[in-house]
Amino acid sequence: QVQLVESGGGLVQPGESLRLSCAASGFTFSSYYMSWVRQAPGKGLEWVSDISSGGDSRSYADSVQGRFTISRDNAKNMLYLQMNSLKPEDAAIYKCAKGSQYMWASFGSWGQGTQVTVSS
């Protein structure tokens, strides 16, 4: 059974940074692309970033390109998202999801999420 548990969210001011973590279990983590997706209040899930199974290929949504960095540690079954220069529009529940930007919705496996609030 796929289990994804996110942590690291919180309340920050605009321009500050946060690092999110996701602990994965129940599947062969190192064999899959992984993504971060987010859900702002009143909106649907939005893909943010993905990383290849080996970590050598990364993609980002235009809205976070240059500010966010995705990474993974296959030895620890962990996925990370370093978020810098946070903006109020980045506020959302952030979830890690199994699969690439093209497959995560089809796989249908994501965690409960961690709340990120950006406010002065």
Side-chain angles (χ1 to χ4, degrees):
Q1 182 179 356
V2 174
Q3 188 168 14
L4 299 163
V5 181
E6 303 89 345
S7 60
L11 170 63
V12 296
Q13 295 187 346
E16 294 186 338
S17 299
L18 276 175
R19 188 192 193 212
L20 307 183
S21 299
C22 170
S25 61
F27 66 106
T28 307
F29 179 75
S30 60
S31 295
Y32 288 89
Y33 265 77
M34 293 294 295
S35 289
W36 283 99
V37 300
R38 67 186 181 186
Q39 187 167 24
K43 296 188 177 181
L45 286 167
E46 172 194 22
W47 174 80
V48 173
S49 178
D50 71 12
I51 186 168
S52 60
S53 56
D56 56 331
S57 179
R58 300 170 173 86
S59 297
Y60 299 94
D62 289 345
S63 58
V64 307
Q65 179 76 48
R67 300 187 296 120
F68 290 11
T69 302
I70 191 171
S71 61
R72 66 191 297 162
D73 184 337
N74 284 344
K76 297 181 179 179
N77 284 4
M78 293 293 295
L79 180 72
Y80 304 100
L81 186 68
Q82 177 68 41
M83 305 187 297
N84 297 332
S85 302
L86 282 161
K87 304 176 180 180
E89 52 263 42
D90 293 319
I93 298 172
Y94 283 73
K95 307 183 181 192
C96 60
K98 178 184 173 184
S100 70
Q101 60 179 302
Y102 307 110
M103 293 301 297
W104 68 271
S106 296
F107 284 143
S109 295
W110 50 80
Q112 291 295 309
T114 185
Q115 179 75 52
V116 172
T117 304
V118 185
S119 175
S120 55

